[in-house]
Amino acid sequence: MQNSAFGIDLGTGNIKIYNNMDGTILNQKNMIAVMNKTNLFAYGDEAFEMYEKAPSNIRISYPLTYGVIADIKDMQEVLKCFITDLTASSKYSGGDFYISVPKDITEVEKRAFYDLVKDSNVKAKKIMIVEKAIADGLGLDIDVKNSQGVMVVDVGFDTSEISILSLGGIVLSKLIKVGGRKFDSAIQAAVRKEFNLMIGGKTAEKVKIDLSNKETSGEPAVVYGRDIVTGLPVERQIPTEIIDAALNENIASIVENIKVILERTPPELAADIYRHGIYLTGGSAHLKNLDVLINKGTNLRVNLAENSQESVANGLARIIQDDNFKSLAYSLEGMTAKGTGLK
Ligand SMILES: Nc1ncnc2c1ncn2[C@@H]1O[C@H](COP(=O)(O)OP(=O)(O)OP(=O)(O)O)[C@@H](O)[C@H]1O
Ligand SMILES: [Mg+2]
């Protein structure tokens, strides 16, 4: 019988779990709602539904911040709930867990991902770590084991990770604190400044996503919010130019960081990078004009991933399915406290 195995991409905005028993990827908000400080009230998309609307005795939060675990107890709870849901209909007696982590975090922060799975009551038989950019590359069908120079840019919710891969490893990587959440707050700030209008984060996100939608792009966004002066709820039309301008600064910061990494890349790898172009992925990869502005700033072709939000989970799936890729995952088991920097 086939062993249960899960590939988990713990994003700051969304958790994606590949389940090898049915080949599906669960993709839900990485959120938790807790009532009266202790009682689990909701998790995932259901918790997000209540976000910005709940009374004060319900705390709704993201357990991850900037790519690292901010609240381990909350994160364990969310993980346990999802794994329980995924295994409810089968005789689950434990499984292997492949978990992706950013490269540019400390050993202690990496170790926390391992401990999270170990201590979550999910019956982990084996816990393997995969660098997120490697999983991204595999998920995009790149031959990461043999290529000598691949640039992957994953623009997510709290972070963007810019990495250079070569021969199955990561040569350079930088995690920056720019992503979908910053784009949303930039839109909120611009609408407030230009129209004296307060809008919620979910409204801002919808405006942003509509921008990249071909059918609605170019048309002004219709938003509902609260007028700061009168205090009353109103409807307003926001021209796309204002939104474009609001996003520029954050996009420029991503482009600048890509250039810094390119400048630091050993010249021997440059030929492959030039030939392949840049691979742009992550949920925010489809932000309007992001690919165009990266291309303008670097003179490199930009390959925009289609199913960009799930490329890490798809890469983890390939590692689980194909033994040829197993060497791209590693274990933290048996690592000494010294090796991890833990006391
Ligand atoms: N069409 C779109 N245009 C712009 N942004 C989008 C689009 N679709 C989704 N997004 C954004 O993608 C983001 C989520 O992406 P993703 O799931 O890759 O992040 P994450 O993995 O949770 O975060 P991180 O990798 O930073 O930890 C959200 O901010 C969402 O608004
Ligand atoms: Mg991500």
Side-chain angles (χ1 to χ4, degrees), residues 9-12 14 16 132 154 156-157 159 282 309 312:
D9 172 17
L10 281 180
T12 30
N14 302 287
K16 299 91 172 170
K132 199 173 76 170
D154 180 324
F157 179 65
T159 64
Q309 207 176 76
V312 173

Side-chain angles (χ1 to χ4, degrees), residues 9-14 16 67 132 154-159 180-181 184 205 208-209 212 282-284 286-287 309:
D9 172 17
L10 281 180
T12 30
N14 302 287
K16 299 91 172 170
K132 199 173 76 170
D154 180 324
V155 185
F157 179 65
D158 250 359
T159 64
R181 194 208 280 260
D184 300 344
E205 183 184 33
K208 173 188 73 178
I209 292 178
S212 58
S284 299
H286 288 270
L287 182 77
Q309 207 176 76

